[in-house]
Every structure is written in C-alpha cells, then in structure tokens.
Amino acid sequence: MHLLRPRMLSFVAIVLATPVTAAAQDTSATASLIAAEVDFARRVAESDVRTGFLEVLASDAVVFRPGLVDAREWYQTHESPPIELSWSPGAARVSAAGDLGYTTGPYQARAIGSARTVGQGYYLSVWRRNRGRRWELLTDLGVETDAPDEPVPPMEAPRRGASFPDGGRARSALLEADEQWSRRGSRPTDAARLADPAVRVLRNGRPLAKGVAAAAAAMAASTKEPGGTGLVAVASSLDFGFTRGMRLEAARGGETRVHYVRVWVTDTEGRWRVIADVETPEPASAAPPQEPG
C-alpha cells in the first residue's frame, strides 16, 4: 500500500516564564508533584472522573478522544464515564526550576459498584506549576495493556543534567532530537544516544518498555513512520521539556493518525534525551487535521 508522506504540523514553541532560583532544586518539587497526583486520584475516587479532571486541568490542556481536543471543553460537555478510576505514579521527574514535570504509572478502571475490571494500562501526564505554585495538568494520555502495580518512587535527589545557554538553542535542539527519535529510536545504537537510561515507552497492547534496549524494541515494533512535531515546551531552567505531534501509519482502508507525547531531560553534557514516550492511534482516515496552534 502506498503510504503518504506525513504532513508536517504547525510548530508552536513555549518557554515557561518562571524564574530559576539560585539554589539548586531539591526533592521538594518532585514530592509536591507526586502529592498533587495522589490528591488528584483521591478526588476522582471521592467524586467522579469529570469533576476530578476539571479541578486540575490547565486552561490550555489537551486530551486525546481519540483525536486532539481541548481538555476543559471536552470534560465540561461530556458526562462522567460510569467507571471507578484508580492510578498511582510509578515514576516522576521535575525540571530544576520546578515549573514542568511528568508522572507515569499504572491505572485501572472498574465498573461502578463492581470489582470487574473494564480497562487497565499505563498513563503519562505532563504538569505545569502556575504562579500560585499549584500543579496544573497540561496533557494526559494512556494505553491499554497489562499494568502490574508499581510503588510510588522514592524521594531521592534527582540526577540533574546540564542546561542550554539560551531558550532558542534549547528549543531547536529539542526539535532535532524529537525528529531523530522518530526516525532512529528503533536502532539500539541510536536509542542509546537519544534515550535516558530510565526511558519508558508506552504502547497499546504491549508490555511497558523500561530501559534503552526495551524502548528500542518497542519503537521497532510500533513506529513505522516518522511524524511532525506540533508543540515544544521547555522549562525555564532549559533542562526539561516535552513534545507533542502526530504521524501517519498505513492501515487497511486508508491511514491511521497516531498522536504522541514525549518527555525529555538533558544529560550531563546538555543533550536532550527522551525519558517517556506514549502514543495513541485514531481510527483510519484519509485526511489528517492540523494540530491547534
């Protein structure tokens, strides 16, 4: 089947304006993000999915249903699903500035009032800390697969990488790294160059891939065509960022749009390395829409 070349998405770059303090960030920012995630899960359990999400979503948050949509608008116009949703962070990371972070771990959905599991897998959430020092959810994406329990990560001092001299170079380098990962992440030697040792790759129907070798294998099995990056966001400390984009895959009856979110951190030499990669496919379609922005 002839595969159309993926259409490049419009590029929007964001650098957060939170100033970086002179003191090095300790574990308190990571601890606060995990606490926010745990409280978020508690509120969903106490109320419902719709109410819980609307309490934490940023004004510019997006979700995938299955295409990219405005998160607040979607939850405001849809009834809460008839499920009991539970989850816990198995890994978390925060920028040195404490303004951007991510969490990931297992989730489980059960029918209301029943022990019957109706869905399980892994989620990845990207968070931003607002001026009031409150964590807001920027994007949330999950895959369905076997999801063993994982403990909440210990509060050890996170390994910090070097940052870039300015935001322009940080964004350009992140765009290049994202493209390289799309095209070469399936090659073990390139994966070792592009991925953080703690990298996680989340794919529907596949076991959680943890570590560089497993990530490369997951990329080889799931990512056949490179995509176009639609958004790049970089922390004010220039050591943490995330990308969001879309690619096309050949499918029976047309093409499938596949949306992805990736989280990036810098290594000790100031190079971007992917630490989390998750994607979700849409039903087959012939004409992909543009991402907003």
Side-chain angles (χ1 to χ4, degrees):
M1 178 182 293
H2 174 64
L3 183 66
L4 295 177
R5 184 177 180 181
R7 182 171 161 191
M8 292 302 293
L9 304 174
S10 59
F11 167 58
V12 177
I14 298 174
V15 174
L16 301 184
T18 306
V20 183
T21 60
Q25 185 211 9
D26 57 16
T27 60
S28 62
T30 305
S32 72
L33 176 55
I34 291 173
E37 178 87 82
V38 171
D39 186 62
F40 174 29
R42 179 185 60 79
R43 287 290 298 131
V44 166
E46 291 175 348
S47 53
D48 55 44
V49 174
R50 179 177 182 268
T51 301
F53 270 80
L54 285 172
E55 288 179 355
V56 300
L57 286 170
S59 60
D60 53 346
V62 297
V63 289
F64 303 84
R65 294 294 185 270
L68 188 70
V69 297
D70 180 290
R72 294 198 63 83
E73 180 180 346
W74 193 91
Y75 278 102
Q76 287 167 348
T77 56
H78 288 75
E79 294 295 325
S80 189
I83 60 172
E84 295 175 349
L85 186 62
S86 60
W87 71 93
S88 62
R93 185 83 172 257
V94 174
S95 68
D99 51 7
L100 264 185
Y102 88 100
T103 54
T104 183
Y107 75 86
Q108 184 180 63
R110 296 177 300 277
I112 290 180
S114 169
R116 180 171 62 91
T117 298
V118 295
Q120 65 178 6
Y122 281 87
Y123 72 91
L124 183 140
S125 298
V126 179
W127 298 80
R128 178 180 63 205
R129 217 174 193 180
N130 62 23
R131 293 179 181 271
R133 308 300 288 169
R134 177 176 175 268
W135 287 104
E136 299 176 322
L137 187 61
L138 282 176
T139 192
D140 178 77
L141 183 58
V143 299
E144 289 199 32
T145 187
D146 291 341
D149 291 336
E150 287 190 307
V152 173
M155 288 298 94
E156 299 175 355
R159 177 172 51 83
R160 293 297 175 200
S163 63
F164 289 84
D166 58 68
R169 276 178 277 191
R171 293 190 299 275
S172 295
L174 183 51
L175 269 174
E176 181 178 353
D178 191 80
E179 180 180 357
Q180 291 290 311
W181 178 248
S182 289
R183 294 181 180 277
R184 300 179 181 178
S186 60
R187 304 174 185 177
T189 54
D190 288 309
R193 175 176 57 86
L194 294 164
D196 186 89
V199 63
R200 292 175 172 225
V201 173
L202 286 65
R203 296 290 186 268
N204 278 321
R206 294 184 58 84
L208 172 66
K210 297 170 66 174
V212 174
M219 290 288 287
S222 62
T223 304
K224 308 303 180 185
E225 290 293 326
T229 304
L231 179 106
V232 172
V234 178
S236 60
S237 45
L238 308 182
D239 65 330
F240 185 105
F242 80 93
T243 54
R244 189 183 73 219
M246 187 186 73
R247 59 185 181 81
L248 300 180
E249 292 285 1
R252 186 174 298 177
E255 291 179 316
T256 296
R257 298 187 290 269
V258 181
H259 298 273
Y260 64 82
V261 174
R262 295 167 184 161
V263 180
W264 299 81
V265 294
T266 57
D267 62 17
T268 55
E269 296 181 9
R271 297 173 300 190
W272 288 113
R273 288 180 177 263
V274 63
I275 196 168
D277 180 316
V278 59
E279 64 180 31
T280 185
E282 287 190 47
S285 178
Q290 291 287 99
E291 276 201 340

